[in-house]
Each structure stands twice: as structure tokens, then as C-alpha cells.
């Protein structure tokens, strides 16, 4: 055993235990979000300390290399921002019918599952990680127990997740049947040496991919996302809008470029990227509900990220890490603004933000920044991320797919700017907002999200170099 390989996960495990103990013993629920954020930050510090080391252990089932550490940090960034968002959103959780310390305890446990996906080198670890990741999310989605919509969202998420787990387990069994191994290295060797049963392994790889494509809400495994986003509490949605997607996409990249490198899966990824951009952007055009709009736009953004995976080059894979880093800030920041507007448990619409620029100009300005970043308007990280992703895909010969991505990226500007126009140009159609000032806990979440959405866009090269060096360990 090598406990250094799972040192950040041990920190998170201790955090989950302490958060629940503090809640039971002192009832200091208002501070639990800060406590959870503190442990996530501590796990990030441990990861950065051992960033350049390769820590393997547990009979080769765990491999914490630079690649895994890069995605660990992206997960921690999204989770940290979501923890700050929840800390400033749920001061009156009891009256709102939102559960208490369970949220932050479940959040920390779910992050451990995400980590297992990116540090795993064995199929059993992937299944274990997916379940540890998913079970807390199902409960968190239904966390507003007095809301029928939240309970329905949790039930839908659970049922869809159960199907995804079934696909994953069946795929693992087929891959084992075709190669005789559960470890990524030996599976890759068997395929490269031609000793694997190719058809069996190919079907197994597709089923495993379905299990994780469900987590990133890629088409055609996306149907759960809009309903769950609309029904679940907004701080919960902020959490699973970024961190679980980074974990699942990180694992898909590792599987595609190591174990299944010799299989013809690029065509499938091409089709899924194409469909995700098409469905995500067209359906987002029709939405007036902001959480559903962000859900569909998230589907489209996963399509952009899959363009980089199709290219399969060192630069494009590095660009995926860079893009996910920026997406964490853009997405969580958008939901943090919705929380600041007093919609921690409701689903706001365009009418909810109409006239916001006159009532709360700073808040409207921050939300405008996130909308510009999601649309890919310079000098935000959204523009830099798409530019790098698409450039690498063109170098790899995927010109047609990039043209498609650019067209839909241009189309997305319409529905993002519609939110901005509503805030600054529409008359107020609802009663004056109940908020008089942004809750203190939300201010650092908004400020950090804004920095993440802007700084890598202004000076992208250091971040790209960092991501690129990490991914050379994988290729």
C-alpha cells in the first residue's frame, strides 16, 4: 500500500467526518460550507505538493501521476467554488426545507469518488469511483425535501444513473472477457498485441463509454440534465455542473488514449460531439428558464470538449484540461449569481433578471461576464479555450467538425446575450428583488469565479504550458 497516492482523498474523508460531527455536536450549520471549502483547499494543497511525483499503490490499482493531479485540481476548483456558493446561499435552510450538514458531507464524499476516477488504473476502481460519486449526487439533487420538483429531480437522476452503472458494469465484464485483465496497462497491451477478442472489447469499450458519457450529459445520454438542473437546489446544481464532468471527461481521455487506443472509437466520439453541439445549442435557444438554459449550454460545452478528444493530440488533450478549468469558473459563477438573486431553491427565468442592471448593477455586471465567457467572447477564458481546442482539432485534420463547432458557437451568442439584454434593457416585470445586498458568503465565490473566467483568457499561455506538461505523462 502507498497511502501517499491517496493523501488528498484521506484529507477529504477526514473532512466529511468532521463536518458531520461538527453539525451533530454544535449545530453550527452556517459555517459548514466554509469548513467544507477549507478541506477542499487542503486537498488541493496536498495535490500541489506532490504534483510532480508519480504515486502508485494498492497493487497497481491506483496511479496518481501529473495527469491525475491536473484533473484533481480542476475538480477541486469547481467543488471549492460550489462550497463557497452553498455557504452563502442557505442561511435559512430549515425554513426552506433544505437539508443541513448532509449537503457538505455528501459533497466531500462525492469528490472522493471523482478523484478515484482520475487516479484509477483498474476497472474495479472506476466502478467504485462512479458509485461513490453518484450516490451522494442523487441525494443532493433531492435535497430540498419540501419541493416536489427537487424530489422528482433526485428520482430521475437516480434512475438514469442506475442505467449508466449497469452499462458500465456490463462493459467492464465484456472487456475482461476479451482481454483477461481489469488493468488499463494490460488491456492496452492485449489490444496492441492482437491477443484480445476485438469485437468483444469494442462493445465493452462502448458500454463503458456510455457510463461516463452519461455523467457529462453528452447526447444522446443527456435527457436527465435539464430536468435535474431545473428541479434541484441551485447550490447543488452549481456543484455538479462542473466537478463531476471534469472527473468523467478526465477518465474518458485516459481510457481513450491508453487502454482503448487501438480501437476505432474516434468515429463514435466525432458523432457524439456533433450531436451534443447540435442539440445543446438548438434547445438552449428555446429556454426562458435560466437553469434549463445553462443545462443545455452545458451539453453543448461538453461537445466542444469532445472535439479535442477526437483530435487526440498532446496539444488538444492539454486544451481539454484548460477548457475544463475555465468552464468550472464560468458555470459555477453563473449559478452563484442565481443564488445571490435569492433563487437557491427556485428556478429563475429571464423575467427574474429583467431590469437587474438598474437594481443591482454589480451583480448584473458579473453575470454578464459569465455569459460573455460561456459565449466565447474575448478576452474571456471561453474564447481562449475554444480557440485552442479548435486550432488543435484543425491541425489533426478535423476541419469539418471545427466548422460545425464554430457555427454553433456563434449561434450560442444569441441566447447568452439575451440574458444580458434582459438584465440591462428589459423593464422590470417582477416585484422589486427581495435582496438588498449580496450575502457575504457569496462574494468570494463570485470574485474567484470572475477571476477564473477572465484571467486565463487574458494570459492563457502559463495555464496551457502547465496543462500540456501534465498531459505528456499520459501520451
Amino acid at each position: 500500500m502507498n497511502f501517499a497516492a491517496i493523501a488528498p482523498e484521506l484529507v477529504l474523508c477526514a473532512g466529511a467526518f468532521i463536518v458531520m460531527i461538527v453539525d451533530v455536536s454544535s449545530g453550527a450549520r452556517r459555517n459548514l460550507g466554509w469548513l467544507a471549502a477549507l478541506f477542499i483547499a487542503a486537498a488541493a494543497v496536498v495535490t500541489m505538493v506532490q504534483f510532480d511525483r508519480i504515486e502508485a499503490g494498492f497493487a497497481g490499482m491506483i496511479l496518481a501521476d501529473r495527469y491525475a493531479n491536473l484533473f484533481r485540481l480542476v475538480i477541486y476548483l469547481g467543488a471549492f467554488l460550489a462550497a463557497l456558493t452553498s455557504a452563502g446561499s442557505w442561511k435559512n435552510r430549515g425554513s426552506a426545507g433544505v437539508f443541513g450538514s448532509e449537503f457538505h458531507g455528501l459533497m466531500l464524499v462525492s469528490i472522493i469518488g471523482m478523484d478515484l476516477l482520475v487516479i484509477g488504473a483498474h476497472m474495479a476502481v472506476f466502478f467504485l469511483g462512479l458509485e461513490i460519486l453518484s450516490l451522494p449526487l442523487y441525494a443532493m439533487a433531492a435535497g430540498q425535501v419540501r419541493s416536489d420538483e427537487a424530489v422528482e429531480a433526485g428520482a430521475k437522476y437516480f434512475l438514469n444513473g442506475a442505467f449508466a452503472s449497469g452499462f458500465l458494469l456490463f462493459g467492464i465484464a465484456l472487456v475482461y472477457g476479451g482481454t483477461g485483465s481489469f488493468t488499463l496497462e494490460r488491456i492496452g497491451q492485449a489490444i496492441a498485441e492482437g491477443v484480445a477478442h476485438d469485437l468483444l472489447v469494442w462493445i465493452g469499450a462502448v458500454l463503458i463509454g456510455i457510463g461516463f458519457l452519461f455523467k457529462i450529459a453528452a447526447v444522446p445520454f443527456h435527457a436527465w440534465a435539464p430536468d435535474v438542473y431545473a428541479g434541484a437546489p441551485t447550490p447543488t446544481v452549481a456543484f455538479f455542473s462542473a466537478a463531476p464532468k471534469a472527473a468523467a471527461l478526465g477518465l474518458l481521455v485516459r481510457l481513450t488514449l491508453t487502454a482503448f487506443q487501438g480501437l476505432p472509437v474516434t468515429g463514435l466520439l466525432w458523432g457524439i460531439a456533433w450531436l451534443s453541439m447540435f442539440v445543446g445549442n438548438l434547445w438552449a435557444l428555446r429556454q426562458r428558464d435560466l437553469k434549463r438554459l445553462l443545462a443545455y449550454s452545458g451539453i453543448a460545452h461538453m461537445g466542444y470538449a469532445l472535439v479535442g478528444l477526437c483530435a487526440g493530440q498532446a496539444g488538444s488533450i492539454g486544451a481539454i484540461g484548460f477548457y475544463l478549468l475555465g468552464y468550472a469558473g464560468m458555470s459555477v459563477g453563473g449559478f452563484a449569481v442565481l443564488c445571490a438573486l435569492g433563487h437557491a431553491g427556485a428556478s429563475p427565468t429571464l423575467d427574474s433578471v429583467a431590469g437587474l442592471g438598474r437594481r443591482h448593477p454589480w451583480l448584473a455586471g458579473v453575470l454578464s461576464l459569465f455569459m460573455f465567457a460561456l459565449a466565447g467572447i474575448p478576452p474571456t477564458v471561453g474564447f481562449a479555450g475554444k480557440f485552442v481546442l479548435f486550432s488543435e482539432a484543425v491541425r489533426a485534420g478535423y476541419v469539418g467538425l471545427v466548422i460545425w463547432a464554430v457555427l454553433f458557437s456563434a449561434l450560442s451568442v444569441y441566447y447568452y446575450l439575451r440574458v444580458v439584454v434582459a438584465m440591462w434593457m428589459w423593464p422590470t416585470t417582477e416585484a422589486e428583488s427581495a435582496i438588498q445586498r449580496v450575502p457575504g458568503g457569496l462574494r468570494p465565490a463570485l470574485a474567484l469565479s470572475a477571476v477564473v473566467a477572465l484571467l486565463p483568457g487574458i494570459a492563457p499561455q502559463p495555464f496551457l504550458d502547465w496543462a500540456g506538461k501534465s498531459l505528456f505523462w499520459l501520451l
Side-chain angles (χ1 to χ4, degrees), residues 42-110:
V45 170
V46 172
T47 302
M48 286 189 281
V49 168
Q50 59 183 28
F51 191 84
D52 292 327
R53 298 206 298 262
I54 300 178
E55 299 287 357
F58 300 90
M61 299 176 78
I62 297 295
L63 177 63
D65 54 10
R66 266 189 171 186
Y67 173 81
N69 288 330
L70 170 69
F71 274 89
R72 269 175 167 166
L73 292 176
V74 174
I75 292 167
Y76 296 154
L77 174 64
F80 181 76
L81 294 174
L84 293 181
T85 300
S86 66
S89 303
W90 282 346
K91 291 183 178 179
N92 299 313
R93 288 176 294 186
S95 61
V98 178
F99 59 7
S101 66
E102 299 89 344
F103 176 84
H104 297 103
L106 290 171
M107 171 187 278
L108 293 171
V109 172
S110 182

Side-chain angles (χ1 to χ4, degrees), residues 90 99 102-108 110 133-144 150 154 157 232-233 235-237 239-240:
W90 282 346
F99 59 7
E102 299 89 344
F103 176 84
H104 297 103
L106 290 171
M107 171 187 278
L108 293 171
S110 182
L133 179 164
S134 301
L135 292 175
L137 294 184
Y138 303 148
M140 292 164 72
Q144 198 173 8
Y157 199 17
T236 299
V237 180
F239 175 57
F240 59 57

Side-chain angles (χ1 to χ4, degrees), residues 355-412:
L356 184 67
R358 289 185 291 278
R359 289 178 281 131
H360 304 284
W362 284 103
L363 209 52
V366 174
L367 184 55
S368 299
L369 170 63
F370 296 136
M371 292 297 110
F372 289 145
L374 288 165
I377 295 174
T380 64
V381 68
F383 171 78
K386 287 178 183 175
F387 180 80
V388 176
L389 270 176
F390 298 163
S391 299
E392 295 294 339
V394 168
R395 288 195 188 97
Y398 290 89
V399 178
L401 187 60
V402 170
I403 292 174
W404 186 259
V406 171
L407 287 176
F408 275 105
S409 185
L411 182 66
S412 73

Side-chain angles (χ1 to χ4, degrees), residues 14 51 90 92 119 129 176 202 255 276 290 416 435 443:
F51 191 84
W90 282 346
N92 299 313
I119 65 174
Y176 179 76
W202 189 85
L255 284 173
S276 297
L290 295 186
Y416 288 125
I435 61 168
R443 293 176 191 171

